[in-house]
Amino acid sequence: MKNHLFILCFIFVSTVTDAQHTYQNSFIGNLPAPAKKWRSHIQQFMANNPPALNKTTAIKQRLIAGSTYAYDQGYYITDTISLKYSGTRGMLNDYSDPFLYLYSSDPAAFQSYVAFDTSVELSNESMVGQPLLISNRVFCTYDANERLLQKTTQSYSNNAYSDSLKIERIYNAQNKLSIENSFTFNKISNQWDLTSAYKLTYNAQGQIATDTILIDLGAGLIPMGLTLFNYYPSGELQTLIYKVIGLTNTWEHLMKDSLGYSNGAMVFERIFTWNGMNWENLVENTRHLNTNNLPDSVFIRGWDASSNAWQLSEVYVYTHNSYGNPDAVDIYDNANSLWLKFHYYYELYNDNLSVGHETKQSFTVFPNPVTSILQVNSAYTRPVSVQILSLTGQVVMNRKYENGSNITVSMASLSAGTYLLKLNDKGRTLHSQLVIKN
């Protein structure tokens, strides 16, 4: 079953009622990352950088970090990701994509909607009380038309990165994605091995018609999966039919995904499975929209064949920030227990001029991980302030420097853990990244 993405905004308490279930979205005392601090920071940043001062009206947000929290006798962070950009790259989504909120509730997966240059992911492997450790980093390259060409993932082990996964994209004459090849790095032969590929075709309206999955089982790529896309006359995606190669070497039904809309926004999804003769109910998702036509909750139900009825399994409650971007996610089980949370953090930018993040400046932060002294070098010679925040949003250090080109920061007094370092100039964030203190 697909993961689902749901969001929270500047409202601290909201209630969603469905049938006999009432879900209270409130921040609990033992939550290690109270969103109020981050919201206050974002609001203050926006107040210090009004559009009028930037002489542009194309102010947008782009994702710079995301964190995941689970519950086990208290909330603890399981993983986090930070992203960096160059130029004016940023968010790709326009919220007309029906799968934006169905894509994933995982910040690491949500980055697929972001045109970033590099990202670093840290994880504690879901072990309560364990520190976050670097798990991987990702590099992206783009062509002159800002189309993604290659995305390379490197895993981190024994204090070093090594190549792990890579995707390469090929575009057709209409500038649409035609093929996406996936590779794994073979450490024995020291080369990239092609392991799978996606091949897309399009209809006369330029919409995706088919998506064929090819997998290498040892003798080269062979077709293994096929997705058929069907659309309403108005253009919205109506159904997805998933097929696999059967024993007779022909395409056979596997699953079907049917979508429904209200005012152009997807509000209903039902997933069926094929029993060999008929489509059977599997999962149903009902999405509730707020006054801005953005989702504020989704109720996920599974089909119970014994009672011949839908049974509530999970509820995702979420809101959005003032830019309409995901802010946080609360996931409840069917007993109204909040067991998983996701938080997202942003910076401002626009298509023509970077706002709140001077991407033309080159910043180097080392060593990372750091034991005592952190060095920050750049070509930025104006006065700056350095903030170091814990992952709960608490400012643990805030110092001013007359020259931003060569900064020495002592972190010896800080406890071991992961921190967010921010370089600011008069309220504008010049650079931010995660730093690990050993």
Side-chain angles (χ1 to χ4, degrees):
M1 171 184 163
K2 297 194 296 285
N3 290 328
H4 293 68
L5 176 62
F6 297 93
I7 326 312
L8 254 83
C9 117
F10 292 109
I11 302 173
F12 299 123
V13 178
S14 63
T15 301
V16 180
T17 302
D18 183 88
Q20 301 300 316
H21 300 84
T22 301
Y23 296 85
Q24 188 73 21
N25 170 18
S26 58
F27 290 100
I28 304 171
N30 61 352
L31 179 64
K36 181 177 180 180
K37 291 183 179 180
W38 287 102
R39 294 191 183 109
S40 176
H41 165 73
I42 292 173
Q43 286 176 304
Q44 182 179 7
F45 181 85
M46 292 178 180
N48 292 335
N49 294 272
L53 293 181
N54 296 306
K55 299 180 180 180
T56 176
T57 58
I59 304 298
K60 299 179 181 179
Q61 285 184 326
R62 57 188 176 192
L63 185 71
I64 59 170
S67 299
T68 305
Y69 303 87
Y71 185 84
D72 186 351
Q73 299 179 351
Y75 289 97
Y76 67 98
I77 188 167
T78 63
D79 56 74
T80 187
I81 187 170
S82 65
L83 303 99
K84 295 182 181 179
Y85 306 80
S86 64
T88 56
R89 297 192 183 110
M91 302 292 282
L92 301 177
N93 54 278
D94 60 4
Y95 295 93
S96 62
D97 183 344
F99 288 102
L100 173 62
Y101 290 106
L102 296 176
Y103 187 77
S104 177
S105 53
D106 181 354
F110 184 54
Q111 66 175 301
S112 295
Y113 282 91
V114 182
F116 66 97
D117 287 84
T118 62
S119 71
V120 177
E121 185 175 0
L122 299 92
S123 174
N124 67 2
E125 299 181 351
S126 299
M127 298 295 291
V128 179
Q130 296 299 311
L132 289 173
L133 302 175
I134 296 175
S135 58
N136 65 70
R137 66 182 178 184
V138 178
F139 298 92
C140 296
T141 58
Y142 301 83
D143 65 12
N145 296 317
E146 292 299 319
R147 299 177 304 186
L148 178 65
L149 291 180
Q150 183 173 294
K151 180 183 291 187
T152 304
T153 301
Q154 295 182 325
S155 57
Y156 188 80
S157 179
N158 298 323
N159 297 319
Y161 287 102
S162 59
D163 288 334
S164 175
L165 303 171
K166 180 175 68 173
I167 67 168
E168 291 181 350
R169 288 185 170 181
I170 301 172
Y171 297 85
N172 61 23
Q174 290 72 43
N175 293 322
K176 293 183 176 294
L177 178 62
S178 177
I179 301 173
E180 181 176 289
N181 293 319
S182 297
F183 303 81
T184 58
F185 190 76
N186 189 324
K187 294 183 179 180
I188 298 177
S189 63
N190 199 36
Q191 65 181 16
W192 290 101
D193 292 340
L194 179 63
T195 56
S196 63
Y198 293 87
K199 291 189 176 181
L200 304 178
T201 65
Y202 297 83
N203 59 25
Q205 289 72 42
Q207 302 163 314
I208 298 176
T210 65
D211 180 358
T212 304
I213 303 174
L214 301 97
I215 299 177
D216 186 357
L217 299 179
L221 294 178
I222 59 173
M224 294 294 293
L226 174 66
T227 304
L228 305 177
F229 294 72
N230 299 295
Y231 300 85
Y232 289 102
S234 53
E236 295 97 346
L237 185 61
Q238 181 178 18
T239 61
L240 293 165
I241 298 177
Y242 305 94
K243 294 175 177 282
V244 294
I245 290 291
L247 296 177
T248 60
N249 204 33
T250 59
W251 292 114
E252 297 180 358
H253 288 318
L254 178 66
M255 299 177 68
K256 181 172 71 171
D257 201 342
S258 296
L259 310 175
Y261 299 80
S262 175
N263 297 323
M266 193 178 78
V267 295
F268 180 79
E269 178 190 29
R270 181 171 291 178
I271 302 173
F272 304 85
T273 184
W274 182 252
N275 66 7
M277 297 182 63
N278 301 294
W279 292 110
E280 292 183 344
N281 291 325
L282 183 63
V283 177
E284 179 182 271
N285 306 317
T286 305
R287 179 187 298 185
H288 296 184
L289 304 178
N290 61 21
T291 55
N292 294 321
N293 218 37
L294 293 172
D296 59 19
S297 62
V298 169
F299 293 83
I300 304 175
R301 299 175 176 85
W303 181 255
D304 184 3
S306 60
S307 63
N308 202 37
W310 293 103
Q311 301 292 331
L312 184 68
S313 58
E314 289 182 326
V315 176
Y316 292 65
V317 178
Y318 56 102
T319 55
H320 313 79
N321 60 34
S322 60
Y323 281 74
N325 286 320
D327 182 28
V329 183
D330 280 4
I331 303 179
Y332 298 81
D333 60 22
N334 59 4
N336 194 18
S337 295
L338 180 60
W339 69 280
L340 201 61
K341 299 180 70 70
F342 302 91
H343 288 199
Y344 302 92
Y345 313 111
Y346 301 86
E347 66 182 5
L348 298 181
Y349 83 107
N350 69 61
D351 289 338
N352 301 309
L353 175 68
S354 179
V355 179
H357 185 91
E358 297 198 3
T359 53
K360 293 182 180 180
Q361 299 290 343
S362 175
F363 291 87
T364 304
V365 179
F366 65 95
N368 191 10
V370 60
T371 301
S372 178
I373 301 300
L374 189 69
Q375 190 71 34
V376 182
N377 292 341
S378 75
Y380 197 83
T381 58
R382 293 167 55 181
V384 299
S385 64
V386 174
Q387 275 190 329
I388 297 180
L389 300 86
S390 70
L391 291 181
T392 67
Q394 177 185 6
V395 178
V396 297
M397 186 182 299
N398 190 2
R399 296 177 181 172
K400 294 183 179 180
Y401 296 83
E402 293 301 318
N403 190 320
S405 63
N406 191 349
I407 298 173
T408 299
V409 181
S410 175
M411 298 186 65
S413 62
L414 299 181
S415 302
T418 303
Y419 298 88
L420 179 65
L421 178 142
K422 298 172 69 67
L423 275 73
N424 301 318
D425 175 18
K426 297 179 180 179
R428 296 185 306 140
T429 299
L430 305 174
H431 180 75
S432 62
Q433 74 175 73
L434 293 174
V435 175
I436 301 174
K437 168 63 166 47
N438 287 334

